[in-house]
Amino acid sequence: RASLLERLPADGAEYAFPARPTVILVVGVNGSGKTTSIAKLAYRYGARGHSVLVGACDTYRAAASEQLTIWADRSKVEIVKKGEGADPAAVAFEALETAAVLDYEVVILDTAGRLHTQKPLMDELRKIHKVAQKKLAGAPHEVWLVLDATAGQNALVQARMFTEAVQVTGVIVAKLDGTARAGALFRIRAELGLPVRYVGTGEGKEDFEVFDPEVFVDAILAG
């Protein structure tokens, strides 16, 4: 237990926003639980009194912005979106512009789920990243990769590829409520130095917690 905890050090409690607005770009492959994780993150920050704006930059999947809008309404946070097929970078630009004018504390940018092997989509992700940098100095302040807890060692491959593309700074683990052990987190930490920020632990919008290494390691050992 001690050895495992040494390999997965805690990175603190709730994420503290370094700027106003703080821009968080969220990335991941199809089916990883990305959109749901964004919704839970927005709800968590909103429930703690922070003003949250979500940018629906996934303009490819027909139901993506609709799904995010429903979650945003439930979570009482605002959303910026455009029609299906719109330029994702333009949505990001508008979200940052809105946040600056209306003085939001945090902007969470959703992106289309993509395989790390899809070069055109990875190039588009880089474009969104560059637009954020040009619009707001220091943005995006964080790039969080959502990983499916059931992905096994493929999660490490995803982490490598996304980090190469857009300098991932942290990880959110979705679907940790199942039987998955998510042991790949140890290698991701060792090879890439990426902290685990949050974990999704259920279906509800409240089922989202700051990552606790002790709870995680105990769950592994309990098996």
Side-chain angles (χ1 to χ4, degrees):
R1 183 177 187 277
S3 176
L4 291 176
L5 286 173
E6 285 178 7
R7 301 179 191 188
L8 207 64
D11 289 277
E14 198 77 53
Y15 175 69
F17 307 133
R20 189 182 182 115
T22 290
V23 181
I24 302 171
L25 179 64
V26 184
V27 302
V29 303
N30 291 306
S32 63
K34 177 176 54 59
T35 300
T36 302
S37 295
I38 288 172
K40 291 179 178 181
L41 188 65
Y43 173 78
R44 185 179 182 88
Y45 289 157
R48 282 161 174 72
H50 301 293
S51 55
V52 181
L53 181 67
V54 175
C57 300
D58 182 355
T59 59
Y60 289 99
R61 189 163 58 89
S65 62
E66 295 175 14
Q67 180 186 0
L68 203 55
T69 299
I70 292 171
W71 276 102
D73 289 342
R74 290 175 181 169
S75 303
K76 295 181 174 59
V77 301
E78 298 301 316
I79 185 169
V80 170
K81 60 182 179 179
K82 290 183 180 292
E84 184 180 346
D87 181 3
V91 180
F93 182 90
E94 185 176 324
L96 296 187
E97 198 166 55
T98 301
V101 171
L102 300 181
D103 195 31
Y104 279 91
E105 286 183 79
V106 57
V107 180
I108 305 173
L109 299 178
D110 186 17
T111 59
R114 63 204 71 211
L115 294 174
H116 48 277
T117 54
Q118 294 173 311
K119 188 179 185 300
L121 286 176
M122 294 301 281
D123 288 342
E124 182 191 83
L125 201 55
R126 294 184 184 95
K127 181 182 177 183
I128 296 172
H129 194 280
K130 288 179 180 178
V131 164
Q133 286 180 323
K134 289 181 179 179
K135 180 59 183 173
L136 182 65
H141 302 90
E142 296 284 340
V143 179
W144 290 347
L145 171 63
V146 177
L147 294 173
D148 184 337
T150 66
Q153 291 305 312
N154 193 42
L156 177 61
V157 177
Q158 293 173 23
R160 286 175 183 151
M161 298 296 288
F162 277 95
T163 298
E164 289 175 8
V166 286
Q167 297 92 49
V168 174
T169 60
V171 171
I172 295 174
V173 182
K175 309 175 189 177
L176 199 59
D177 51 314
T179 58
R181 300 290 174 78
L185 292 181
F186 292 101
R187 291 190 64 188
I188 290 171
R189 179 73 199 206
E191 292 191 25
L192 302 174
L194 298 178
V196 182
R197 292 293 185 183
Y198 295 94
V199 294
T201 57
E203 296 294 330
K205 61 186 179 182
E206 301 90 353
D207 299 328
F208 195 74
E209 302 292 340
V210 172
F211 178 65
D212 185 332
E214 293 200 7
V215 172
F216 177 70
V217 167
D218 286 345
I220 289 177
L221 296 178

